[in-house]
Amino acid sequence: MTAHFDARETREQAAREADLFARLPEVLRAAMAAPAYAERLKGVDPAAVTSRAALAGLPVLRKSELPALHKASAPFGGFVAGAPGSFARLFTSPGPIFEPEGRQADPWRGARALFAAGFRPDDIVLNTFSYHLTPGGFIFDASARALGCAVIPAGPGNTEQQFELIEAYRPVGYSGTPDFLKILLDAAASAGRDISSIKRGLVSGAAFPPSLQAEIKARGIDAYQAFGTADLGLIAFETEAREGMVVNEDLILEIVKPGTGDPVAPGDVGEIVVTSLDPHHPWIRLALGDLTAALPGTSPCGRTNMRIKGWMGRADQTTKIKGMFVRPEQVAEIGKRHSALGRLRLVVTRQGETDAMTLKAETTAASEALREEIAGTLRAVTKLGGTVELVGPGALPNDGKVIADER
């Protein structure tokens, strides 16, 4: 595979950034027509938000907040200006979170992810994501049809009927979780059914460890990973280079310090924050709660957009210590109050039968006076006492973990 979905994938990154931020002000204006965004972005001049630095000054909207917001102002929490009937389909995800599907072609931006995985027009695709109320099945269905593929809307489960469909239609492609692909392969082998027509796959929704990747490959299927959500569709996808995931077009992806909206240093692990450029249903700095890190340079496959390492865990590390919740944003606040500090990690343990916490802080200016100042700030911010350990730069792992609960 050497071709690309379109010329946009290989344009200079500077040209892409210029295009995204030239379009962003109009998207912000559209967002602010919705009451919840109007309140959150009060005082913001959309015309002034034309750079990553300016965007980073806007508040984040945490996905974890959406269930309560949607309940308080059904169905979309006041973040959508259009009427529900102006969309094509209306879904729900656990929470509940309510998600609309746009009427445009490829509303979930998945066609180029399928193309990168080797899918082509006129391919037949077995889609095993669920079609019931949640958007997963429709995300991959719409994406495949936008690419020009025919889709078997199989959904998960019922392997016997799946075998009948596969043997009759001979699909070349699979979309679904990697776990269900293995279930299909194992069940077909046990039952003596022929599903050898499937040669490539786009998998998502579950871990795809190297051991399972190798097993699927050995069984004749070239499977690629995609990272997406029910809110945004496909956010990033693997290519034949197999070096991280390329961020999708028409999205602005930031990586921020967990619990904040502040961008991390290049290469550091942080929380994924996404801004989409769909005026009908814009997302402005939606913090997903998932961790990743950016890869330097561009992909050997020729696609020039930002690359991420993929899913690296959850950013929501809130924990309860001595009956009180301590959150990543509180740890970030301690760092803001002491400019001499670098990376921070709050380690929670048990000493005897009591919770204990130690704040480990990187610094080049270690002193007893600084340690005591930080200990005072730790108590003031968390309302809990703890010890402070000053360590040198680079001593703490670059894994995005701000609170490490080791109890």
Side-chain angles (χ1 to χ4, degrees):
M1 295 185 295
T2 56
H4 301 102
F5 183 76
D6 59 25
R8 301 171 70 213
E9 293 188 333
T10 57
R11 57 184 163 166
E12 292 292 330
Q13 179 65 352
R16 178 180 292 106
E17 289 281 295
D19 174 50
L20 291 171
F21 285 96
R23 294 158 60 193
L24 180 58
E26 191 57 39
V27 173
L28 285 172
R29 291 186 188 95
M32 293 170 72
Y37 273 130
E39 178 62 29
R40 282 186 174 245
L41 301 176
K42 185 184 295 182
V44 172
D45 177 10
V49 187
T50 56
S51 67
R52 286 186 177 266
L55 179 62
L58 303 185
V60 297
L61 170 61
R62 302 202 170 279
K63 184 170 179 175
S64 59
E65 299 177 73
L66 294 181
L69 292 169
H70 284 192
K71 183 177 181 180
S73 180
F76 305 129
F79 290 97
V80 177
S86 66
F87 292 93
R89 292 187 176 93
L90 302 168
F91 301 106
T92 183
S93 290
I97 298 174
F98 299 102
E99 297 115 352
E101 177 186 86
R103 293 180 176 178
Q104 70 271 34
D106 198 14
W108 304 100
R109 311 174 190 87
R112 65 179 70 249
L114 287 161
F115 188 93
F119 292 65
R120 294 294 182 268
D122 297 330
D123 281 353
I124 299 173
V125 181
L126 181 79
N127 183 29
T128 66
F129 284 105
S130 175
Y131 281 80
H132 180 64
L133 292 180
T134 59
F138 289 94
I139 289 174
F140 286 83
D141 186 299
S143 299
R145 289 189 298 110
L147 183 58
C149 301
V151 179
I152 303 171
N158 199 349
T159 55
E160 193 64 31
Q161 190 171 21
Q162 302 252 5
F163 296 150
E164 293 178 7
L165 289 165
I166 294 168
E167 289 176 342
Y169 286 118
R170 308 304 292 162
V172 72
Y174 167 92
S175 57
T177 66
D179 302 13
F180 189 67
L181 178 55
K182 177 171 167 52
I183 288 171
L184 272 182
L185 289 167
D186 289 346
S190 297
R193 305 300 292 264
D194 180 13
I195 64 171
S196 61
S197 64
I198 299 176
K199 298 299 184 185
R200 45 189 168 269
L202 185 65
V203 300
S204 191
F208 194 33
S211 57
L212 183 54
Q213 294 177 35
E215 179 179 347
I216 298 298
K217 179 71 172 177
R219 296 168 82 165
I221 299 175
D222 202 14
Y224 291 78
Q225 301 178 76
F227 171 69
T229 71
D231 324 89
L232 290 151
L234 277 293
I235 295 170
F237 52 88
E238 206 172 14
T239 75
E240 69 266 27
R242 304 283 188 180
E243 292 187 8
M245 295 185 182
V246 174
V247 174
N248 212 339
E249 301 293 331
D250 300 315
L251 298 175
I252 301 172
L253 188 145
E254 303 170 88
I255 303 174
V256 307
K257 298 174 184 176
T260 78
D262 304 328
V264 300
D268 277 4
V269 176
E271 183 177 8
I272 299 172
V273 171
V274 179
T275 297
S276 67
L277 298 183
D278 176 6
H280 192 199
H281 183 214
W283 288 109
I284 308 301
R285 301 203 84 201
L286 180 65
L288 302 182
D290 295 305
L291 296 173
T292 196
L295 290 171
T298 57
S299 174
C301 72
R303 293 171 178 84
T304 54
N305 207 349
M306 174 185 182
R307 293 180 300 159
I308 59 175
K309 289 185 177 180
W311 187 81
M312 298 177 68
R314 291 291 295 167
D316 185 6
Q317 300 155 30
T318 298
T319 191
K320 186 176 282 188
I321 305 170
K322 296 182 180 179
M324 296 185 64
F325 283 108
V326 178
R327 297 176 169 82
E329 49 264 40
Q330 292 174 293
V331 179
E333 176 62 26
I334 295 168
K336 290 179 180 178
R337 297 189 187 186
H338 298 276
S339 60
L341 301 184
R343 197 173 286 133
L344 302 176
R345 177 176 298 218
L346 187 69
V347 180
V348 186
T349 57
R350 294 282 286 178
Q351 292 182 357
E353 297 302 321
T354 305
D355 291 341
M357 62 182 189
T358 300
L359 180 67
K360 297 186 177 184
E362 293 183 355
T363 183
T364 58
S367 68
E368 182 61 22
L370 178 61
R371 191 192 66 76
E372 291 180 359
E373 288 176 13
I374 297 168
T377 305
L378 175 63
R379 179 179 290 277
V381 171
T382 66
K383 306 300 187 286
L384 295 166
T387 59
V388 174
E389 180 182 338
L390 302 180
V391 299
L396 298 178
N398 176 26
D399 58 5
K401 190 170 286 189
V402 176
I403 299 176
D405 192 340
E406 298 180 357
R407 290 172 291 187

